[in-house]
């Protein structure tokens, strides 16, 4: 989805709306009267993590990246050489981030309540340039397939879980630089 952010196609994301719960010693689960989505509010700025490689990890970095101001390569850019030591997005430090999202709206809804326009805002490539999007497929059908690749029961599309729909603007800069 990083490529969709860079291309300006992705301006929304959906996340499961977990209710904060705890379990007592008897095994009973009870709510704490709060939901996880309340942690993200309009105006919040978030930094995007993506698969990356650090400049300096490879002996040929000076040839691959003569601009010494660059400190990371990004897998979404299809960088050469392919022999870079790629690190998973979960380990990306804040300094290496190049995309900042500013939250403009947050709402809770059922997953299947997504509109065609919202599914397009999830990154749908209507031009058919994305090899994972069959030409002519509607955006909601595409999104349901994408969701099912990321989530299994009891959170799959057919289960229609409660989700948090987060709308944002994208800035192509590090969160700490403006």
């Amino acid at each position: 989805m990083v490529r969709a952010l860079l291309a300006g196609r992705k301006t929304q994301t959906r996340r499961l709306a977990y209710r904060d719960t705890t379990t007592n010693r008897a095994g009973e689960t009870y709510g704490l009267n709060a939901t996880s989505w309340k942690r993200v509010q309009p105006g919040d700025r978030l930094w995007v993590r993506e698969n990356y490689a650090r400049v300096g990890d490879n002996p040929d970095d000076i040839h691959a990246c003569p601009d010494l101001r660059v400190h990371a390569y990004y897998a979404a850019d299809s960088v050469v050489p392919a022999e870079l030591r790629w690190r998973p997005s979960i380990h990306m430090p804040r300094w290496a981030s190049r995309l900042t999202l500013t939250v403009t709206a947050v709402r809770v809804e059922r997953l299947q309540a997504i509109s065609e326009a919202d599914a397009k805002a999830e990154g749908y490539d209507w031009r058919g340039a994305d090899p994972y999007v069959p030409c002519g497929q509607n955006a909601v059908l595409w999104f349901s397939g994408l969701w099912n690749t990321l989530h299994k029961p009891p959170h799959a599309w057919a289960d229609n879980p409660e989700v948090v729909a987060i709308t944002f603007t994208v800035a192509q800069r590090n969160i700490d630089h403006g």
Side-chain angles (χ1 to χ4, degrees):
M1 300 292 9
V2 172
R3 287 187 181 111
L5 287 167
L6 290 167
R9 292 191 324 266
K10 185 165 180 67
T11 58
Q12 260 186 27
T13 192
R14 278 165 176 67
R15 299 289 184 256
L16 290 167
Y18 291 111
R19 300 236 177 245
D20 290 335
T21 59
T22 191
T23 304
N24 63 19
R25 290 185 182 184
E28 302 165 324
T29 302
Y30 56 94
L32 298 176
N33 201 21
T35 55
S36 61
W37 62 268
K38 290 185 178 180
R39 295 183 187 132
V40 178
Q41 298 295 317
D44 287 352
R45 292 175 44 218
L46 311 170
W47 54 284
V48 176
R49 294 181 183 193
E50 57 184 298
N51 294 347
Y52 77 107
R54 293 181 64 154
V55 171
D57 279 354
N58 304 287
D60 63 347
D61 278 344
I62 193 67
H63 302 294
C65 185
D67 184 350
L68 297 178
R69 294 171 296 167
V70 175
H71 301 289
Y73 303 109
Y74 304 95
D77 292 341
S78 303
V79 173
V80 194
E83 297 158 3
L84 292 173
R85 181 175 165 227
W86 292 109
R87 298 165 190 251
S89 59
I90 195 164
H91 297 298
M92 177 184 244
R94 183 177 168 122
W95 65 259
S97 174
R98 62 176 171 166
L99 296 169
T100 300
L101 311 180
T102 302
V103 177
T104 58
V106 179
R107 69 181 186 277
V108 177
E109 64 186 20
R110 289 288 171 185
L111 178 62
Q112 294 178 17
I114 190 171
S115 68
E116 187 75 6
D118 285 345
K120 288 178 181 175
E122 284 278 355
Y124 174 74
D125 187 0
W126 57 270
R127 298 172 306 240
D130 185 336
Y132 301 105
V133 181
C135 197
Q137 186 179 56
N138 75 48
V140 173
L141 182 60
W142 164 80
F143 181 74
S144 70
L146 174 66
W147 185 269
N148 281 335
T149 64
L150 303 171
H151 301 276
K152 304 297 178 219
H155 305 297
W157 178 263
D159 300 316
N160 200 21
E162 190 174 56
V163 295
V164 180
I166 302 170
T167 304
F168 50 82
T169 59
V170 182
Q172 292 189 27
R173 65 176 181 271
N174 181 279
I175 192 168
D176 296 324
H177 299 135

